[in-house]
Amino acid sequence: EARDYLTTRLGRERAAREDPAVREIIELCGRLPLALTIAAARAVTQPGLTLSALATDLREAGQRLDFLELPEDRASGDSVRAAFSSSYRTLSQAAARMFRLLGLHLGPDIRLRAAASLAAATPWQARLTLSELTSARLLDEPSPGTFVFHDLVRAYAAEQANRIDSEASRRAAICRVLDYYLHAAHSAGRQLDPTDEPVTLRPRAPGVLPDHFHDRQAALGWLTAEEPRLAAATHLAVSYRLDVRAWQLAAVLRDFFARQGNWAAWADSGMLAVAAAERLGDQAVLARAHRDLGDARIPQAAYREAEDNLQRALQLYRVLGDGAGQSHCMFSLARIAEAQGDLAGALNRAEQALRFLRWTAGKKDHASVLNAIGYYHIRLGNHQVGLRRCQAALVMHRESGNCSGQAFTLDSIACAHLRAGYPARAVAAYLDALTHYREAGDLYYRAQTLTSLGDAYAATGDAGAARGARHQALTILRSLHQPGAAGLKAKLGAVDPPC
């Protein structure tokens, strides 16, 4: 309907000639007839203005509501802003307040408990006000408990919040919604990996209703659904100079972003955490932020920047006397050496990391470093030495209940079997690793193991199973927009029959 509406006003030939721009204009106008009419009027009254340029103006307009207002409309009140205003004036006081606060939220959609936290309301009160907003056509509810409004409506809501609500009131609402995401993400992360390095959160603000999760699947489902909001939350915290929340959000989310292969969000939140830690002046927080940012940059192949961050963290940990922190940095520096083809250097750094742990840290850290040492021995041809290290690491990971650690170590053990000429044993170990990766919700490394499983199947002579494993890996890498998909596709060509 929106396409027909624009086509009628622009002319069929012009609309067909710039079809992608027409689609974008429709989205930017939220399919609102009045907004589409004003956008079309701008195009018709300015024949030299291409529809692509109009779409760019709409996309980049800092005040899109002003852009969608013709001069003659200001006197008559016939504008997008006026249309929203007429709906807004019909709302109850509670619904109007909820509407304004939603304009401060960090995305176009929000779930019930997040909205309740934003407004310091009970879930029942939030449901009533949100239902009123959907009845007024200011919000949509595309699925039960999830509420969406278009950027134009959100811009109007933010205008009203800045006009009516005090700065203290707006800031309190932002604190509440950030605490909702922070505490829920922390709960989800602990469910996925109870052995992960803890973050001691400050008490949540009054009125916050975070979700709690009773199993890994529920935790992973929430994190996956909220990933866009979580990625934006650190930015929102920094924009309000809520620096403690900013670095804690980055720390809580790092493992989830790593499991999903979302390197950009991981590094982005890491940079914000470093800036927040510098403003706080807390050396322990700054060390952790530099370390996490260094880790995030390794899979992006930004090795020089990663090493700079890790060396800065290492210096801070030395001053703090933190052996576990120093070990983590050396372990990450070993990964940089490995990525650059220096396996001997990687082994040396991993052994240094283990020495830092002889008087500190828990089984998870010891096991992770021990597995790395074993893996580097395997890659250097010392299969039996490496296998013994990895088997010892696997026992420690099982004792601590570290699901991801077991997956990584089983992958290393499979690598040892494959390189030693026992592909059937490798297949069994890779399949075991995949089970643990699925349980941990790890997508990226599951794809890596599926690729290796394809190699193991190929070594057994089972080309069909090899093709199946590689196809699964390719599907995951494509879904994550990972560059490794191209190389895997080429490898598939070696086992796929010609079309």
Side-chain angles (χ1 to χ4, degrees), residues 276-289:
E278 287 174 340
R279 286 191 294 271
L280 289 169
D282 186 318
Q283 297 303 290
V285 171
L286 184 59
R288 180 171 184 156

Side-chain angles (χ1 to χ4, degrees), residues 98 101-102 105-106 109-123 126 130 145-147 173-182 184 207-211 222 226 229-230:
M98 176 66 85
L101 294 181
L102 288 173
H105 185 247
L106 36 77
D109 59 337
I110 190 169
R111 292 190 175 189
L112 179 62
R113 293 182 73 86
S117 299
L118 181 70
T122 66
L130 291 165
T146 299
F147 300 86
I174 292 299
C175 287
R176 286 193 299 271
V177 79
L178 287 174
D179 278 355
Y180 163 79
Y181 287 113
L182 174 59
V208 176
L209 299 168
D211 288 283
W222 183 87
E226 295 292 353
R229 263 75 60 201
L230 294 169

Side-chain angles (χ1 to χ4, degrees), residues 10 21 62 65 68 157 176 182 184 206 222 229 234 239 265 293 302 333 356 372 412 481 488 498:
L10 297 172
L65 290 173
L68 288 170
R176 286 193 299 271
L182 174 59
W222 183 87
R229 263 75 60 201
T234 312
S239 70
L293 178 55
L333 290 167
F356 281 118
S412 298
H481 307 290
L488 184 54

Side-chain angles (χ1 to χ4, degrees), residues 203-217:
R204 60 182 183 266
V208 176
L209 299 168
D211 288 283
H212 296 286
F213 310 96
H214 303 294
D215 58 55
R216 282 192 174 103
Q217 284 306 110

Side-chain angles (χ1 to χ4, degrees), residues 317-370:
Y317 282 130
R318 281 175 182 149
V319 172
L320 294 166
D322 187 333
Q326 292 177 75
S327 174
H328 187 123
C329 291
M330 290 307 303
F331 182 28
S332 297
L333 290 167
R335 291 169 54 215
I336 293 175
E338 175 200 348
Q340 295 179 314
D342 182 7
L343 291 173
L347 177 60
N348 179 265
R349 287 176 167 184
E351 288 173 336
Q352 290 182 61
L354 188 62
R355 285 195 287 273
F356 281 118
L357 290 176
R358 285 181 177 165
W359 66 89
T360 187
K363 285 185 177 179
K364 174 183 176 180
D365 301 286
H366 282 272
S368 296
V369 176
L370 194 59

Side-chain angles (χ1 to χ4, degrees), residues 2 27 85 99 136 162 252 260 288 298 311 328 342 377 393-394 396 407-409 411 414 436 443 449:
E27 293 303 318
S85 179
F99 177 72
N162 290 323
V252 163
Q260 298 297 299
R288 180 171 184 156
I298 295 172
Q311 290 291 355
H328 187 123
D342 182 7
H377 271 296
L394 183 60
M396 297 170 74
F408 280 118
T409 308
D411 186 281
H436 287 84
L443 274 177
T449 293

Side-chain angles (χ1 to χ4, degrees), residues 53-102:
L54 176 61
T56 299
D57 288 342
L58 272 170
R59 192 188 324 117
E60 297 178 353
Q63 298 293 328
R64 201 181 301 171
L65 290 173
D66 290 335
F67 186 81
L68 288 170
E69 187 174 64
L70 297 174
E72 59 269 24
D73 292 334
R74 293 186 185 124
S76 66
D78 186 19
S79 68
V80 174
R81 186 181 278 109
F84 293 155
S85 179
S86 66
S87 296
Y88 174 74
R89 287 195 301 269
T90 68
L91 299 174
S92 67
Q93 185 175 347
R97 176 175 176 268
M98 176 66 85
F99 177 72
R100 296 194 303 272
L101 294 181
L102 288 173

Side-chain angles (χ1 to χ4, degrees), residues 85-405:
S85 179
S86 66
S87 296
Y88 174 74
R89 287 195 301 269
T90 68
L91 299 174
S92 67
Q93 185 175 347
R97 176 175 176 268
M98 176 66 85
F99 177 72
R100 296 194 303 272
L101 294 181
L102 288 173
L104 305 176
H105 185 247
L106 36 77
D109 59 337
I110 190 169
R111 292 190 175 189
L112 179 62
R113 293 182 73 86
S117 299
L118 181 70
T122 66
W124 174 246
Q125 290 168 333
R127 161 59 74 180
L128 288 176
T129 57
L130 291 165
S131 295
E132 186 177 342
L133 293 173
T134 57
S135 297
R137 301 301 177 95
L138 291 169
L139 280 184
D140 291 320
E141 189 178 5
S143 60
T146 299
F147 300 86
V148 178
F149 61 173
H150 187 268
D151 283 349
L152 291 173
V153 186
R154 182 165 174 251
Y156 178 77
E159 277 187 357
Q160 298 309 303
N162 290 323
R163 186 176 68 84
I164 296 171
D165 298 302
S166 68
E167 182 179 351
S169 176
R170 298 195 304 272
R171 186 178 180 86
I174 292 299
C175 287
R176 286 193 299 271
V177 79
L178 287 174
D179 278 355
Y180 163 79
Y181 287 113
L182 174 59
H183 284 261
H186 182 262
S187 175
R190 299 301 293 171
Q191 187 63 243
L192 287 178
D193 185 3
T195 69
D196 193 25
E197 182 179 2
V199 179
T200 304
L201 304 183
R202 61 195 300 167
R204 60 182 183 266
V208 176
L209 299 168
D211 288 283
H212 296 286
F213 310 96
H214 303 294
D215 58 55
R216 282 192 174 103
Q217 284 306 110
L220 181 61
W222 183 87
L223 286 166
T224 302
E226 295 292 353
E227 186 171 3
R229 263 75 60 201
L230 294 169
T234 312
H235 282 273
L236 185 64
V238 167
S239 70
Y240 278 81
R241 285 295 189 264
L242 299 169
D243 290 327
V244 172
R245 289 175 174 88
W247 82 258
Q248 289 187 343
L249 277 162
V252 163
L253 293 169
R254 57 157 281 153
D255 280 356
F256 173 67
F257 288 146
R259 288 188 182 99
Q260 298 297 299
N262 193 346
W263 317 134
W266 184 9
D268 184 49
S269 64
M271 287 187 285
L272 294 171
V274 167
E278 287 174 340
R279 286 191 294 271
L280 289 169
D282 186 318
Q283 297 303 290
V285 171
L286 184 59
R288 180 171 184 156
H290 271 295
R291 184 200 73 192
D292 288 353
L293 178 55
D295 285 346
R297 284 172 161 164
I298 295 172
Q300 292 182 310
Y303 301 129
R304 180 178 296 178
E305 294 87 346
E307 183 139 5
D308 287 345
N309 286 120
L310 290 165
Q311 290 291 355
R312 176 73 176 121
L314 187 60
Q315 292 169 6
L316 289 166
Y317 282 130
R318 281 175 182 149
V319 172
L320 294 166
D322 187 333
Q326 292 177 75
S327 174
H328 187 123
C329 291
M330 290 307 303
F331 182 28
S332 297
L333 290 167
R335 291 169 54 215
I336 293 175
E338 175 200 348
Q340 295 179 314
D342 182 7
L343 291 173
L347 177 60
N348 179 265
R349 287 176 167 184
E351 288 173 336
Q352 290 182 61
L354 188 62
R355 285 195 287 273
F356 281 118
L357 290 176
R358 285 181 177 165
W359 66 89
T360 187
K363 285 185 177 179
K364 174 183 176 180
D365 301 286
H366 282 272
S368 296
V369 176
L370 194 59
N371 173 55
I373 290 171
Y375 178 70
Y376 296 139
H377 271 296
I378 293 163
R379 291 282 305 277
L380 288 165
N382 307 320
H383 301 142
Q384 291 306 311
V385 173
L387 189 58
R388 286 195 296 273
R389 300 288 191 279
C390 293
Q391 287 169 335
L394 183 60
V395 171
M396 297 170 74
H397 277 311
R398 283 176 173 160
E399 288 175 349
S400 68
N402 181 8
C403 196
S404 293

